[in-house]
Amino acid sequence: MWLLKSFKTFATKLLGGRVILILGILLSTALIGIVAYLLYPFPENYLEPSKYSLKIFDRNQKMIVELNHYGGLNERFSLEDTPDVFLRLLLFSEDRGFYKHIGIDFKALGRTLVEFVKKGRFVSGGSTITMQLSKLKRDVVKNSLFTKILEILEALKIELHFSKEKILEAYLNEVYLGNNIYGFQKASKVYFGKSLKDLNLAEMSFLIKAIARPSDVYLSRNAILLRARKLLETAYRKGIISEDEYLSSINYNVILNPVILPFSAPHFCFFAIEEAKNLTSAEIEEIHTTLDIDLYNDISCIVRNVIKNLAKFNLSQAGLLLVDNENSEILCMVGSVNYFSEYGANNGVLIKRQPGSTMKAFTYALAFERGIINTSSILPDIEISFPLRYGRYIPRNYDNSFHGPVRVAEALGNSYNIPAVYLLNKIGIYDYISFLKKVGFSSITKSPEFYGLGITLGNADVSLLELVRAYMIFPNNGLYSDLRSIRYVKLRGGKIVYPPRKRPRKVLSEGSCFLINYILSNHKYKLRAFGVNSTINLPFNVAVKTGTSKDFRDNTIIAYNRKYTLGIWAGDFSGKNMINTPSARGAGIILRDTLLYLYNKELLKQEKFIKPSEIIEVEICKLSGMKSSQECDEVEKEVFIAGKQPNEICNWHRNGKIYLPSEYKVWAQNNLTKRRVILVGEKLKILSPHNGSVFAIEESVAREIQNIILEANTESKDVEWFINGKFHKKGNPTLLQLCEGEFTIEARCKNESDRVKITVVSPRQLRLHQANTNLTSD
């Protein structure tokens, strides 16, 4: 004391008392700071779990996946639902004086500090549950003197601001138990496959003792189990648990489940997460989606099986999207055959590929809407070239042949290329692309000149999602809607956020949509291209449109009825060519098996598209598309929008002949050789007799009845006939009586003329002529 007093006197004299003043100020400032820190309130959500998972649910509230999107896996559990025996064991193990102290166990803390002084590091924590909670909140991995001081101060502050019950509940949901798992409830679900309240004492004590060894719960199972049994034994001796509780649990064999978390529909889940982020910037705990996980599991199995069987054709991947038309909700999204395989993380529903002929439906729909065509209008399927800025575009059909005059319904149903290009040329590329953008093709960003007329054949890269969304306008009577993958999201704190509902936009009339539906759902219009036994000829009413890109790189197929729209892409993510596999034999198999599955599950009903009141039926000629006459060889009933039906009676069939426009000359010669065809508008041509023909006079038949027919390819009756330069007769057709000799026959009409040469011989002369020239009679 004397020495201290002497030093104080010396210091006071030497420094004028400034050291004491400074120390006093510093100490007072520190105390004020500590008090202010302790009194300053915590954020409102401080006791909420700082680590939690993102859970994604399907439309039936089944969890699809749980992701440690926000630090770890967690499942909130209330103190009220926690078994009393668990709480007794927990407090006995971790903090026996929990309800008595103010956040600090001074005795245990003193032991810890002594060990720190001896060894220079913290060997045991000496932490109360409140101090552990503070440490967990601050993500402290390794203790230091500074972090320990902060832990103590924050524990005091926690105790000052919250009740013991709230502190204990927060700890139950915050404690780390290995494998990115936080909270006892989640650990119970993962390790034992059941809720915390359903565990037995052995399992409860195992979880409690796992607190100290969280990094290797599986590797340290036996060590943790020994500690758990020791805890039960000690708790029994101390009267924490009863004898019956102890005996029923001490020899229980604790079996841990492997950490297998649900992770289905990964492509859809990541798609839904991005959609949810567009709804809110807040932290999301739950995403409740439109997906049907049971449907997904079954359909994804179908996709895998089909692709396995088609692997020999270089089909290695597929994407599938199934949508409910009524509410535009995604029911199933299969992004690839196996998410974890090479390239499997690619989403076949979202990648942009060429959709082939599936784009033709929009060309015909717009043409119906503009009144350019009706269902029986004739489109030319012949060799046509279209001028381009540089050169010319000459489209070809898939079968590399021409089909002559083709009615609209058959041109679309059989997916002929040339009529579609011809029709788009009538509509105009600018108007067509403008329409495509109205129905959601946001991927079409280049100039119309870049795509050219080939855009109707699918040369633009678009996603299957865009294609399915656009096709939904047809079963939805011309209404366009965005697709929905989310019903609502639940934010941290419990707030519910719903996606905004946009009103559907009218982009097509009901009549135009019905005509597309009617054509694509009637296989009679597809027989010439696909045959009877095609995969797209299904035993129920469904509209189907196929598409195959150039060199068989991509198969795309769309099917829909009033309830669903289904889209499928198949191919290879690397762009490898499939081996001569069109969509009907590739993606079409997936489509057929999926639709049959839905039909057998009674999810797909046998129902026809509803016919609008403006739709009428008219009997037409199958060749000309006009109203049928008695001379038409083949007729059938066709549907039309009232006022846009054909009113002209067929004039292609007259007097047993077929009068075709002259542009079909080549096609007619190759396809109608057994019939008399007159090409209207063609240059005057003698149809009978043929040039170079040899005729023989029969001696046993009267000369006056032995005649040949003179006929030209014109409807006009004013044809003048000249024999060897001399006028013979006027008319078409007319007759020429046979007489021996060589004759030049000339037909003249409207400043046009044509000539042929024939020979008329006796039977004897004919035989000699044939022997010398190897000719046959006509």
Side-chain angles (χ1 to χ4, degrees):
M1 287 296 293
W2 174 82
L3 185 61
L4 183 61
K5 189 174 181 180
S6 300
F7 177 77
K8 181 179 179 182
T9 303
F10 173 78
T12 301
K13 289 179 179 181
L14 183 65
L15 301 174
R18 277 180 279 179
V19 170
I20 294 176
L21 179 62
I22 291 171
L23 289 175
I25 292 172
L26 290 175
L27 183 60
S28 299
T29 302
L31 288 173
I32 292 171
I34 290 172
V35 171
Y37 169 74
L38 293 175
L39 293 177
Y40 189 80
F42 284 104
E44 289 184 9
N45 62 347
Y46 178 79
L47 291 186
E48 293 289 316
S50 56
K51 303 291 192 301
Y52 60 97
S53 57
L54 173 64
K55 300 180 182 70
I56 303 178
F57 297 87
D58 85 335
R59 65 193 300 111
N60 300 312
Q61 301 304 311
K62 295 180 180 179
M63 190 161 69
I64 306 172
V65 66
E66 183 174 12
L67 304 169
N68 56 343
H69 214 60
Y70 300 102
L73 306 178
N74 205 330
E75 185 171 334
R76 208 173 307 180
F77 203 65
S78 69
L79 184 65
E80 294 177 357
D81 294 329
T82 306
D84 179 66
V85 65
F86 177 83
L87 294 175
R88 283 188 274 125
L89 277 175
L90 175 66
L91 295 179
F92 180 71
S93 172
E94 298 298 308
D95 192 351
R96 298 180 187 181
F98 176 72
Y99 282 104
K100 297 177 182 177
H101 61 61
I102 58 170
I104 304 169
D105 184 338
F106 290 100
K107 186 176 180 181
L109 186 61
R111 289 196 304 268
T112 299
L113 291 174
V114 169
E115 290 178 357
F116 175 78
V117 172
K118 289 181 179 179
K119 299 183 179 181
R121 59 188 177 88
F122 287 101
V123 179
S124 60
S127 299
T128 63
I129 279 179
T130 313
M131 292 171 69
Q132 289 183 51
L133 179 62
S134 166
K135 185 178 178 180
L136 288 165
K137 289 290 185 184
R138 289 180 292 110
D139 272 334
V140 176
V141 178
K142 188 175 181 180
N143 271 322
S144 65
L145 183 61
F146 177 72
T147 61
K148 202 68 178 178
I149 292 171
L150 285 180
E151 187 179 311
I152 292 169
L153 289 174
E154 190 162 81
L156 291 171
K157 182 176 179 179
I158 291 171
E159 292 278 347
L160 182 64
H161 288 274
F162 301 107
S163 67
K164 290 288 187 180
E165 288 73 20
K166 287 189 176 295
I167 295 170
L168 184 56
E169 182 174 278
Y171 178 76
L172 292 174
N173 289 296
E174 193 79 42
V175 64
Y176 180 59
L177 292 162
N179 295 291
N180 242 4
I181 300 166
Y182 292 82
F184 286 107
Q185 172 68 358
K186 189 62 188 179
S188 177
K189 290 281 188 72
V190 174
Y191 293 135
F192 301 115
K194 49 190 173 182
S195 176
L196 179 63
K197 61 185 178 182
D198 297 322
L199 298 183
N200 60 46
L201 281 182
E203 293 165 334
M204 290 180 181
S205 60
F206 183 92
L207 288 183
I208 291 169
K209 284 304 175 182
I211 296 172
R213 306 287 293 270
S215 60
D216 53 358
V217 172
Y218 288 96
L219 293 176
S220 303
R221 174 189 172 277
N222 293 336
I224 296 173
L225 194 55
L226 287 174
R227 292 182 178 213
R229 287 173 178 167
K230 187 174 182 181
L231 171 61
L232 290 172
E233 184 179 341
T234 307
Y236 165 60
R237 290 202 312 267
K238 296 291 185 178
I240 304 300
I241 59 174
S242 67
E243 183 177 1
D244 289 340
E245 289 173 327
Y246 171 68
L247 294 176
S248 65
S249 59
I250 191 61
N251 293 318
Y252 182 82
N253 185 25
V254 175
I255 299 175
L256 297 178
N257 293 334
V259 180
I260 301 177
L261 300 173
F263 191 26
S264 295
H267 295 93
F268 174 81
C269 288
F270 292 127
F271 175 77
I273 288 171
E274 292 305 311
E275 293 291 294
K277 288 179 180 178
N278 292 332
L279 293 179
T280 177
S281 59
E283 293 181 335
I284 302 169
E285 280 195 355
E286 296 178 2
I287 302 176
H288 293 259
T289 72
T290 62
L291 190 82
D292 187 320
I293 192 60
D294 294 330
L295 205 60
Y296 166 83
N297 289 332
D298 290 343
I299 291 177
S300 60
C301 184
I302 292 172
V303 173
R304 284 194 299 272
N305 289 337
V306 173
I307 292 299
K308 182 179 178 181
N309 293 330
L310 294 175
K312 58 187 176 183
F313 300 109
N314 286 346
L315 263 80
S316 63
Q317 289 291 353
L320 179 148
L321 185 66
L322 178 66
V323 178
D324 187 314
N325 293 329
E326 184 179 356
N327 47 37
S328 303
E329 290 184 344
I330 295 174
L331 298 174
C332 180
M333 177 189 285
V334 179
S336 69
V337 174
N338 181 358
Y339 181 85
F340 299 100
S341 65
E342 186 180 13
Y343 302 116
N346 290 318
N347 190 338
V349 175
L350 301 181
I351 60 170
K352 295 177 176 61
R353 307 299 280 260
Q354 293 190 355
S357 294
T358 55
M359 298 300 290
K360 291 174 184 172
F362 304 107
T363 305
Y364 284 87
L366 187 56
F368 283 136
E369 194 75 359
R370 298 283 177 85
I372 298 173
I373 56 171
N374 59 42
T375 46
S376 70
S377 296
I378 296 299
L379 298 175
D381 191 351
I382 55 179
E383 184 164 353
I384 309 177
S385 65
F386 299 92
L388 301 174
R389 180 177 294 180
Y390 305 104
R392 303 185 72 80
Y393 174 50
I394 305 176
R396 288 287 183 264
N397 286 319
Y398 171 77
D399 60 5
N400 205 32
S401 63
F402 304 107
H403 308 97
V406 182
R407 287 182 293 123
V408 161
E410 289 197 323
L412 174 57
N414 289 299
S415 198
Y416 296 146
N417 290 342
I418 298 170
V421 174
Y422 174 87
L423 191 55
L424 177 56
N425 191 53
K426 291 276 189 184
I427 296 170
I429 302 176
Y430 283 86
D431 287 352
Y432 179 65
I433 289 180
S434 176
F435 176 70
L436 292 180
K437 290 180 178 179
K438 284 182 182 178
V439 295
F441 284 104
S442 57
S443 296
I444 298 178
T445 56
K446 295 182 173 61
S447 68
E449 290 79 11
F450 175 85
Y451 299 110
L453 295 173
I455 192 171
T456 189
L457 307 183
N459 67 7
D461 292 331
V462 301
S463 70
L464 184 65
L465 184 141
E466 289 175 302
L467 193 63
V468 169
R469 182 174 59 194
Y471 258 86
M472 286 171 57
I473 65 175
F474 299 127
N476 285 339
N477 296 319
L479 291 175
Y480 170 81
S481 300
D482 289 325
L483 294 180
R484 298 180 63 217
S485 62
I486 297 173
R487 288 189 162 179
Y488 64 90
V489 298
K490 183 179 178 183
L491 305 181
R492 192 179 181 197
K495 182 181 178 182
I496 303 296
V497 177
Y498 294 93
R501 296 301 298 267
K502 296 180 181 178
R503 294 187 64 183
R505 289 187 286 109
K506 190 74 170 177
V507 294
L508 274 181
S509 66
E510 289 187 27
S512 297
C513 291
F514 177 79
L515 296 182
I516 297 293
N517 299 342
Y518 184 82
I519 294 170
L520 294 183
S521 62
N522 276 276
H523 198 71
K524 68 179 182 179
Y525 297 123
K526 308 174 186 179
L527 288 172
R528 291 170 68 180
F530 297 95
V532 176
N533 298 318
S534 171
T535 55
I536 64 174
N537 188 10
L538 295 158
F540 39 79
N541 191 64
V542 61
V544 180
K545 186 70 195 77
T546 60
T548 305
S549 67
K550 185 179 179 182
D551 298 326
F552 300 100
R553 282 193 176 90
D554 303 283
N555 277 184
T556 307
I557 194 164
I558 300 288
Y560 63 88
N561 70 347
R562 286 162 54 188
K563 176 64 176 173
Y564 302 114
T565 297
L566 171 66
I568 296 166
W569 166 85
D572 186 270
F573 284 137
S574 65
K576 188 186 299 181
N577 295 2
M578 294 171 282
I579 302 173
N580 296 326
T581 307
S583 59
R585 296 201 299 267
I589 299 176
I590 301 174
L591 180 131
R592 177 199 63 193
D593 291 357
T594 301
L595 291 177
L596 288 173
Y597 159 80
L598 294 172
Y599 184 74
N600 292 330
K601 294 275 288 186
E602 298 185 353
L603 297 172
L604 191 70
K605 296 181 180 179
Q606 180 65 276
E607 56 185 10
K608 292 187 176 183
F609 293 101
I610 298 174
K611 185 193 298 184
S613 58
E614 60 184 319
I615 298 297
I616 61 172
E617 287 189 354
V618 176
E619 189 176 76
I620 53 97
C621 170
K622 291 183 70 173
L623 180 62
S624 70
M626 303 177 190
K627 287 182 72 174
S628 62
S629 71
Q630 291 182 348
E631 295 196 54
C632 295
D633 297 331
E634 295 181 275
V635 300
E636 74 174 4
K637 286 189 175 181
E638 191 60 275
V639 295
F640 301 91
I641 298 173
K644 297 182 180 180
Q645 73 274 18
N647 293 313
E648 187 178 1
I649 303 296
C650 177
N651 57 19
W652 285 23
H653 293 92
R654 298 196 308 275
N655 304 317
K657 301 179 183 65
I658 300 175
Y659 293 82
L660 289 178
S662 59
E663 61 261 32
Y664 297 111
K665 175 182 178 180
V666 175
W667 174 82
Q669 289 174 346
N670 295 329
N671 293 274
L672 298 178
T673 55
K674 296 181 181 179
R675 312 175 73 171
R676 290 188 177 276
V677 177
I678 295 176
L679 297 170
V680 179
E682 190 184 32
K683 289 184 179 181
L684 186 67
K685 180 178 178 59
I686 296 174
L687 298 176
S688 175
H690 291 163
N691 188 42
S693 297
V694 177
F695 298 90
I697 298 173
E698 293 287 341
E699 295 177 349
S700 60
V701 179
R703 288 287 184 103
E704 60 268 18
I705 64 172
Q706 294 189 55
N707 301 292
I708 60 173
I709 298 173
L710 303 180
E711 185 178 16
N713 67 332
T714 176
E715 298 181 60
S716 175
K717 302 295 183 181
D718 298 328
V719 178
E720 295 179 331
W721 296 94
F722 294 81
I723 310 298
N724 291 336
K726 293 182 180 180
F727 178 76
H728 167 64
K729 194 179 292 185
K730 186 177 183 180
N732 187 38
T734 188
L735 297 175
L736 172 65
Q737 185 175 328
L738 293 178
C739 61
E740 295 177 11
E742 292 185 349
F743 302 95
T744 298
I745 301 173
E746 183 180 5
R748 299 176 185 175
C749 183
K750 297 178 181 178
N751 300 320
E752 291 186 346
S753 64
D754 188 32
R755 294 179 182 180
V756 297
K757 290 185 178 181
I758 66 170
T759 302
V760 182
V761 298
S762 67
R764 180 175 174 276
Q765 289 175 317
L766 177 63
R767 288 191 292 272
L768 290 173
H769 187 81
Q770 288 175 338
N772 293 328
T773 63
N774 197 31
L775 293 175
T776 57
S777 60
D778 191 1

